[in-house]
Amino acid sequence: MKMIKLNIKAVLILCSFFFYLEAHSQELETLINEALTNSPEIQKFELQYRIATEKVNEVNTIPNTEFGVGYFVSEPETRTGAQRARFSVKQMLPWFGTITARENYASSMAEADYIEITIAKRKLILSISQFYYQLYEIRAKQLVLDENIQLLKTYERLALNSVEVGKASAVDVLRLQIRQNELQQEKEVLRQKSKGFQAAINSLLNRDYDKNITVIDTLEIPVEDISFSFDALSLNPELLKYDKLYESVTQSEVLNLREAQPTLGFGLDYISVSERTDMNVVDNGKDIIMPMVSVTIPIFNNRYKSISKQNKMRQQEIQLQKNARLNVLKSELARTISQRNQARIKFNTQHKNLKQAKNAEEILIRSYETGTINFNDVLDIQELQLKFQMNQIESVKSYYTETTIINYLTN
């Protein structure tokens, strides 16, 4: 249990890399802490680790002691009397160091299971973070839609005023109302999506699916990106797992060599003898005590040679698996960094476009004062503004989502 507590502490330290804003960090970290505590998936891996740890005690034993009792139905006569019954005890002992080798092998397997706990927790943190940012995207878009609906209502009032003085058509008013209905529809669709992501997060936290989840209102892309090195991939638990598996095979081979050695046995036979009544001889009726030593020698040891070959091939397989996984992680890291950089570029472009769209909006409003406003242009500019705002939100979400993947791969 001590190792598990240390593991939880290490994961909580890892969480700090996922957040850039303090308030944001507190909200997301609270969700992550609750998930790490309540997740059945994590509890399953922790139980598997405890089972593997207990196996160390299982192998720290010697073979069962053999006891035997025999009764002579037809008592054989000897010089000192008839033998009536035989009692025996026998204990086999493995070769020196075999039990220690078994313990080391069981411990190495437990360490591999321990790495699985770390991997499961990191994946849980990654999933919650990604769902959190998707939920942020939905909530942010809902706020933008509210702002645009209010803006369209303002335009609608302007259009009604223009209709009264004959400077606009009733069709312009209807088009503005239709656009409001479309935005209201988008808002309702987002509300349903929000329920889905909220249920997904609650599921990971092992609580009621409809419990409300609070997310930060505003996220900003940092001025500078945190740099990452491909060398950091070597510390990824997904790769460390292969190191532990490699070590377990090494310990398996040590155990195999120990088990290929002779096995020693020590025993004692006790035979009960009856006294002779037909004559008096020396040691008449004296019971027989016979200490015994036995040795089992694996003369035909093809089994152990085969296991050694298998262990060698297994180590080669694990090394190849590790190299293959490392290549996948490198590719994933390169792709993720690229997508994060793309998100920043898109955000900056949309920021420029949004400023220009707002300038165009101001020009249209000033045109209204001179009585030359074109409500078709108003709708076009509103749609452009909404598009740029939505794209900005998606870029922010993408930036943070890719950053969580980078942290998963490198921290």
Side-chain angles (χ1 to χ4, degrees), residues 1 20 31 97 112 136 148 188 214 228 238 245 359 378 391:
M1 289 302 295
Y20 289 110
L31 294 174
Y136 158 77
N148 278 266
E188 289 300 317
T214 303
F228 298 95
E238 290 191 32
L245 290 175
N359 291 336
V378 168
N391 288 344

Side-chain angles (χ1 to χ4, degrees), residues 232-244:
L233 289 173
S234 61
L235 299 179
N236 189 296
E238 290 191 32
L239 297 180
L240 295 179
K241 176 183 69 174
Y242 292 109
D243 294 337
K244 295 299 182 181

Side-chain angles (χ1 to χ4, degrees), residues 141-142 145 179-193 386 390:
K141 284 183 175 180
Q142 286 175 316
L145 288 172
R179 182 59 179 158
Q180 291 178 55
N181 294 338
E182 291 176 346
L183 296 189
Q184 190 63 42
Q185 172 189 284
E186 289 185 42
K187 183 180 175 183
E188 289 300 317
V189 170
L190 288 175
R191 189 170 69 87
Q192 294 302 319
K193 287 185 178 180
L386 180 60
M390 293 297 197

Side-chain angles (χ1 to χ4, degrees), residues 7-165:
N7 182 57
I8 293 175
K9 183 177 179 182
V11 171
L12 293 180
I13 293 174
L14 172 66
C15 294
S16 63
F17 290 99
F18 282 82
F19 319 124
Y20 289 110
L21 303 177
E22 184 175 356
H24 168 219
S25 171
Q26 290 300 319
E27 291 172 357
L28 185 50
E29 185 175 359
T30 299
L31 294 174
I32 289 174
N33 287 338
E34 184 175 347
L36 292 175
T37 302
N38 300 333
S39 171
E41 185 76 6
I42 301 301
Q43 293 172 5
K44 178 194 73 174
F45 281 107
E46 289 179 344
L47 186 59
Q48 289 176 350
Y49 169 71
R50 290 198 292 269
I51 292 173
T53 303
E54 187 60 33
K55 285 187 176 294
V56 177
N57 296 327
E58 174 189 333
V59 300
N60 186 19
T61 57
I62 60 176
N64 293 334
T65 303
E66 297 181 18
F67 293 92
V69 177
Y71 179 76
F72 294 101
V73 178
S74 175
E75 299 180 352
E77 290 287 345
T78 65
R79 184 182 65 83
T80 58
Q83 296 180 3
R84 294 179 299 174
R86 178 192 294 266
F87 303 90
S88 62
V89 59
K90 184 179 181 181
Q91 179 64 61
M92 300 300 294
L93 297 175
W95 193 255
F96 305 103
T98 301
I99 293 178
T100 300
R102 289 174 183 167
E103 290 178 337
N104 293 338
Y105 174 65
S107 297
S108 65
M109 294 300 296
E111 290 177 5
D113 286 337
Y114 181 72
I115 293 293
E116 291 289 352
I117 297 176
T118 304
I119 295 174
K121 289 183 175 181
R122 289 165 65 94
K123 287 183 176 179
L124 179 62
I125 293 172
L126 178 62
S127 296
I128 291 177
S129 300
Q130 290 177 322
F131 283 137
Y132 180 91
Y133 294 127
Q134 288 173 319
L135 194 57
Y136 158 77
E137 177 188 5
I138 291 173
R139 301 279 175 83
K141 284 183 175 180
Q142 286 175 316
L143 293 175
V144 168
L145 288 172
D146 284 335
E147 293 173 359
N148 278 266
I149 290 172
Q150 293 302 318
L151 180 61
L152 287 173
K153 287 181 178 179
T154 300
Y155 291 152
E156 182 185 352
R157 287 193 295 269
L158 295 178
L160 288 171
N161 293 335
S162 296
V163 169
E164 291 177 359
V165 297

